[in-house]
Amino acid sequence: MRTGATDKSPNVTRLFEDFASVERDYYNRTGIFPIMHTVVIRRDLLQERPGLAHHVYRAFSRAKDVSAAELLGS
């Protein structure tokens, strides 16, 4: 059964059907909270714009830095 954001788009799906138990198991085995999201770029866009992946990475990295600074009150 699809839940949450996956209900809004046929292009979005969960990697694991029983995601909650898979996440718990991974955490219990490793002590690491599993990744919840990924960012993908279509291959054709990367071929058209070779620097696109780097720009997307920098944008997300900058957003993380801004968010962390706000959270820490910097």
Side-chain angles (χ1 to χ4, degrees), residues 24-68:
R24 269 192 301 279
D25 175 63
Y26 183 83
Y27 180 80
N28 289 334
R29 286 184 296 109
T30 67
I32 299 169
F33 196 74
I35 293 173
M36 294 291 152
H37 299 85
T38 60
V39 175
V40 296
I41 304 171
R42 290 192 334 244
R43 184 172 281 127
D44 64 314
L45 293 177
L46 291 174
Q47 290 171 342
E48 291 172 18
R49 300 172 181 91
L52 180 60
H54 180 72
H55 290 294
V56 169
Y57 171 79
R58 285 181 47 201
F60 276 95
S61 183
R62 177 72 179 128
K64 176 193 63 108
D65 292 344
V66 169
S67 179

Side-chain angles (χ1 to χ4, degrees), residues 10-30:
N11 299 322
V12 177
T13 187
R14 294 196 182 273
L15 185 58
F16 301 103
E17 184 82 23
D18 185 16
F19 63 92
S21 67
V22 172
E23 291 168 1
R24 269 192 301 279
D25 175 63
Y26 183 83
Y27 180 80
N28 289 334
R29 286 184 296 109
T30 67

